[in-house]
Every structure is written in structure tokens, then in C-alpha cells.
């Protein structure tokens, strides 16, 4: 784990805090970086009841078994990445989540890795958010297909992302690897131009 | 652009996937007894048919899982998609 004083957002150089406003107003797009969160990748056998039970004990909710869905309890979120792979997101204060998972899983067949520093999360909302995503991603974001509580790995502007819809309005969280975050932010900013962009605090 | 139905994620565009070449090539268990020609046959020689080809694909930008596909190399029609370990479906051509 990285020392706290070395932690720096991968978008720190963009000075987003200084540009951000409280309310998006008339802008069609609201975009912000979500404050740092604990991120863990979890692998194990989704058909093993003992594994599901142990994760449930550690995090309060078992990992989702339906493809491209999310399980959450308050602010701990588990995203489905594959049939035996999940991404756990928890508030920065939950540094204990890694150890809690390891203790609960014990000798069961599993792997847990701390990937907190490897990615960042952007929060995208606004009336034109679907149109914006459609410019760079082939997933179908129509509300009858992609709904709150769903997530999917795909390309956005040729960058690998995991997109999670968190509210119907719509509000999306875009998980992106930190070395692509600057590029993706600039792409989103340029692609937002027709709709009007408000930088907001994530 | 092919539309590929990932066995886990559903229908996605081809650019989320990568093709891993011919499927169902079994590594010889007694490789120490093979001569150079037999080893080269295992490592390099591929069918390259004009017709139905069995291929491995990986859903790189989605679930990152490997699966198999039967595809017609002339029409690009996808005849079957099946998980690794499932029996190979037989097609004419």
C-alpha cells in the first residue's frame, strides 16, 4: 500500500477542484473525479457457497453472480467483472476491507489484490450523458437495456473502462486505469462541447 | 465488424475481442518422444480452411474469458459459440 503522503490523484495536474462548481445548472454534462476509494480485485469460485458466504461476512454483501450487475451495501460496492472475478469499491476509510476479506476467506481458494492506486473513478451525469457515451462506446445505454445497478467492461474512446450506472437520471461512474485518466478526461471534455460541460465535485 | 455473443456478457462488438487462432489443438503429452517434424506440426501447422473454422476468442475488454467459436471463413457467419470444455459442434464445409 502506498504511503498516504505520496498519494496523488491521476488528474491532480488538471486543477479540477478550482474549476468545479456546486450545481451543474443548464449544462448537459456534469463531470467530476470521485474522491479516492479503496479498490480491490477479488477472484474465487462463484459456485462455492463457502466462498460467497465468506465474502458476505467480510463485506456485508455477497458478490453478484449475474453477469454485468453490481451488489452493494451502503457505500461498499462489488462489481461483476467476470464469472470468477469482481471489483470491490469502498470508501477510503475502509482500509480494513482487504484484511477483512483475507481473514474471512482463510484457506479457501481465492485471490485478493489491492488495486486502489491503479485506477480512478469519474462521475458522469446530466441530460446528455447517454449521447456523450454513445460517441465513444458501442454499449447500448438506452434505459430499457442499461439500468442502475448494472456495470460493463468495454471501450470508451478506445480506452478500457468499466462503466457502472448508479442512478436513473442518469448517473454513471467510469472506472479507468490511472495512466489513461488524463487522456479520457480530455476526450470527455472535448466531446462534451456540444452539450455544455460543468465540472463538479465528484 | 462482427457482432459476437460472449457466453457471459452477451452481444458485443468485435473490437472488444481478440482472436487466439485455431481451437482444439491438443498439446502432445509425450512431447519428449516427438521428432522435429512432429513438434513443428504441433507448434506451427494450422488448417486455414475455406469454410468452417474453429477458433479461440477472448473478450478482452469485458469479462476477459476465453471461449470457442465456429465461424465460416468466407461468409464470416458465426455458426456456434461455446465455452472452453464444451463439446465441439460439427458443421459441414
Amino acid at each position: 500500500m502506498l504511503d498516504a503522503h505520496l498519494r496523488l490523484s491521476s488528474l491532480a495536474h488538471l486543477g479540477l477542484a478550482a474549476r468545479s462548481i456546486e450545481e451543474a445548472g443548464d449544462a448537459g454534462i456534469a463531470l467530476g473525479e470521485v474522491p479516492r476509494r479503496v479498490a480491490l480485485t477479488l477472484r474465487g469460485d462463484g459456485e462455492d457457497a463457502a466462498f460467497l458466504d465468506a465474502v458476505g461476512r467480510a463485506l456485508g454483501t455477497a458478490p453478484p453472480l449475474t453477469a454485468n450487475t453490481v451488489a452493494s451495501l451502503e457505500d461498499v460496492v462489488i462489481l461483476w467483472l467476470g464469472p470468477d472475478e469482481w471489483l470491490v469499491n469502498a470508501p477510503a476509510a475502509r482500509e480494513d476491507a482487504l484484511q477483512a476479506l483475507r481473514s474471512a476467506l482463510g484457506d479457501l481458494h481465492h485471490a485478493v489484490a489491492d488495486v486502489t492506486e491503479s485506477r480512478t473513478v469519474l462521475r458522469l451525469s446530466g441530460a446528455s450523458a447517454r449521447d456523450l457515451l454513445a460517441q465513444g462506446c458501442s454499449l447500448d445505454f438506452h434505459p430499457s437495456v442499461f439500468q442502475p445497478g448494472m456495470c460493463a467492461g468495454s471501450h470508451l474512446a478506445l480506452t478500457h473502462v468499466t462503466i457502472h450506472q448508479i442512478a436513473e437520471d442518469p448517473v454513471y461512474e467510469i472506472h479507468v486505469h490511472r495512466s489513461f485518466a488524463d487522456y479520457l478526461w480530455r476526450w470527455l471534455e472535448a466531446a462534451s462541447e456540444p452539450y455544455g460541460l460543468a465540472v463538479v465535485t465528484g | 465488424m462482427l457482432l459476437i455473443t460472449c457466453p457471459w456478457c452477451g452481444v458485443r462488438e468485435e473490437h472488444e475481442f481478440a482472436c487466439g487462432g485455431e481451437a482444439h489443438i491438443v498439446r502432445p503429452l509425450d512431447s519428449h518422444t516427438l521428432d522435429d517434424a512432429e513438434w513443428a506440426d504441433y507448434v506451427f501447422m494450422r488448417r486455414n480452411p475455406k469454410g468452417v473454422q474453429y477458433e479461440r476468442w477472448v473478450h478482452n475488454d469485458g469479462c476477459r474469458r476465453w471461449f470457442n467459436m465456429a465461424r465460416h471463413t468466407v461468409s464470416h457467419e458465426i455458426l456456434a459459440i461455446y465455452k472452453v470444455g464444451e463439446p465441439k459442434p460439427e458443421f459441414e464445409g
Side-chain angles (χ1 to χ4, degrees):
Chain A
M1 197 173 294
L2 196 64
D3 289 341
H5 71 280
L6 291 174
R7 285 181 194 136
L8 197 62
S9 154
S10 46
L11 297 177
H13 59 290
L14 295 177
L16 299 179
R19 289 177 58 193
S20 63
I21 53 178
E22 288 292 322
E23 294 290 330
D26 294 336
I29 299 292
L31 189 61
E33 187 188 19
V34 174
R36 182 179 177 279
R37 277 187 199 157
V38 169
L40 311 170
T41 52
L42 168 66
R43 305 208 54 178
D45 183 356
E47 292 176 2
D48 180 357
F51 170 78
L52 299 175
D53 193 50
V55 176
R57 263 185 286 125
L59 299 177
T61 177
L65 300 180
T66 306
N68 296 314
T69 62
V70 170
S72 58
L73 178 76
E74 292 162 5
D75 39 15
V76 176
V77 184
I78 311 180
L79 294 87
W80 185 96
L81 295 185
D84 58 6
E85 186 173 11
W86 295 269
L87 177 66
V88 179
N89 255 222
R94 288 294 309 273
E95 297 279 9
D96 62 307
L98 176 68
Q99 201 47 52
L101 266 175
R102 287 204 170 131
S103 309
L105 287 162
D107 293 333
L108 289 168
H109 180 66
H110 75 280
V112 188
D114 185 348
V115 293
T116 302
E117 317 300 339
S118 80
R119 56 195 83 200
T120 191
V121 184
L122 306 180
R123 184 170 293 179
L124 168 69
S125 61
S128 302
R130 289 191 178 93
D131 295 335
L132 173 63
L133 289 176
Q135 289 189 51
C137 182
S138 63
L139 290 175
D140 186 353
F141 290 105
H142 190 275
S144 66
V145 180
F146 203 87
Q147 292 152 355
M150 292 182 69
C151 68
S154 187
H155 272 158
L156 178 57
L158 304 180
T159 302
H160 173 69
V161 291
T162 303
I163 300 179
H164 169 202
Q165 186 171 349
I166 59 172
E168 212 160 344
D169 298 347
V171 182
Y172 299 97
E173 287 187 352
I174 304 171
H175 299 248
V176 59
H177 288 277
R178 64 176 294 138
S179 53
F180 290 93
D182 171 79
Y183 160 75
L184 187 65
W185 179 277
R186 289 173 198 271
W187 183 87
L188 285 166
E189 195 165 332
S192 298
E193 209 179 312
Y195 317 111
L197 170 69
V199 178
V200 293
T201 41
Chain B
M1 175 77 75
L2 297 173
L3 280 177
I4 297 173
T5 306
C6 167
W8 288 277
C9 301
V11 179
R12 298 291 183 90
E13 280 193 358
E14 181 185 349
H15 72 157
E16 290 188 11
F17 298 84
C19 181
E22 191 177 330
H24 303 293
I25 295 171
V26 180
R27 184 186 172 98
L29 290 174
D30 51 353
S31 54
H32 60 287
T33 66
L34 299 188
D35 62 27
D36 284 354
E38 289 168 321
W39 187 245
D41 186 54
Y42 161 68
V43 174
F44 299 115
M45 300 309 285
R46 298 295 179 258
R47 286 182 60 238
N48 194 25
K50 183 179 182 181
V52 179
Q53 159 136 302
Y54 296 86
E55 297 170 329
R56 298 177 304 162
W57 284 73
V58 60
H59 191 189
N60 263 343
D61 285 291
C63 58
R64 303 196 298 146
R65 276 339 91 140
W66 287 88
F67 57 91
N68 292 323
M69 178 193 296
R71 181 178 64 90
H72 199 287
T73 57
V74 178
S75 65
H76 283 308
E77 183 186 356
I78 296 170
L79 301 162
I81 286 176
Y82 51 104
K83 293 179 182 174
V84 172
E86 289 180 354
K88 173 182 169 183
E90 294 299 334
F91 294 98
E92 295 289 322

